[in-house]
């Protein structure tokens, strides 16, 4: 099982069909339980210190298809059906900035 002994763990969110990495967020044990029980992703907001259900305000829900742990059981990979953009900027993925050029792809 996931090691929550140090608090939050990273959760990598990936499209279940294309395998595109959509975003990275943080989960604690309660947000994982909420995710498992609702079938949509729940995270812990480090900036607001509260739980958030991805899509609750935007409608851009993430429907969970698969959840896996890494070999050290300290990172979660969640494959989802993404409705609309995953990024709050409106981009499909949060990983759309090229480090070398500084531009959006």
């Amino acid at each position: 099982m996931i090691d929550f002994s140090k608090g939050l763990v990273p959760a990598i969110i990936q499209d279940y069909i294309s395998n595109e990495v959509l975003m990275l967020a943080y989960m604690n044990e309660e947000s994982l339980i909420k995710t498992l029980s609702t079938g949509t992703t729940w995270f812990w907001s480090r900036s607001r210190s509260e739980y958030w259900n991805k899509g609750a305000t935007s409608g851009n829900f993430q429907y969970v298809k698969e959840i896996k742990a890494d070999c050290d059981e300290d990172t979660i990979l969640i494959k989802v059906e993404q409705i609309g953009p995953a990024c709050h900027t409106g981009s499909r993925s949060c990983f759309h900035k090229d480090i070398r050029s500084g531009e959006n792809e």
Side-chain angles (χ1 to χ4, degrees), residues 40-97:
T40 62
T41 53
W42 284 81
F43 305 107
W44 178 256
S45 171
R46 296 178 301 162
S47 61
R48 296 186 314 267
S49 295
E50 65 182 17
Y51 292 101
W52 59 283
N53 178 220
K54 177 66 177 161
T57 56
S58 67
N60 299 326
F61 285 99
Q62 295 174 334
Y63 294 100
V64 176
K65 300 297 185 180
E66 187 176 306
I67 301 177
K68 294 187 176 194
D70 73 336
C71 57
D72 295 325
E73 296 185 339
D74 62 0
T75 302
I76 300 169
L77 174 65
I78 304 177
K79 291 193 174 190
V80 300
E81 176 187 356
Q82 175 68 52
I83 305 301
C87 186
H88 72 281
T89 65
S91 292
R92 167 106 178 123
S93 168
C94 292
F95 296 95
H96 56 85
K97 292 187 176 184

Side-chain angles (χ1 to χ4, degrees), residues 12-53:
I12 301 164
I13 311 305
Q14 188 176 33
D15 183 277
Y16 82 107
I17 293 175
S18 70
N19 288 323
E20 177 183 20
V21 175
L22 301 173
M23 59 182 280
L24 179 134
Y26 291 89
M27 299 180 97
N28 60 19
E29 189 169 9
E30 183 63 26
S31 59
L32 179 58
I33 290 168
K34 286 175 177 278
T35 296
L36 291 168
S37 67
T38 65
T40 62
T41 53
W42 284 81
F43 305 107
W44 178 256
S45 171
R46 296 178 301 162
S47 61
R48 296 186 314 267
S49 295
E50 65 182 17
Y51 292 101
W52 59 283
N53 178 220

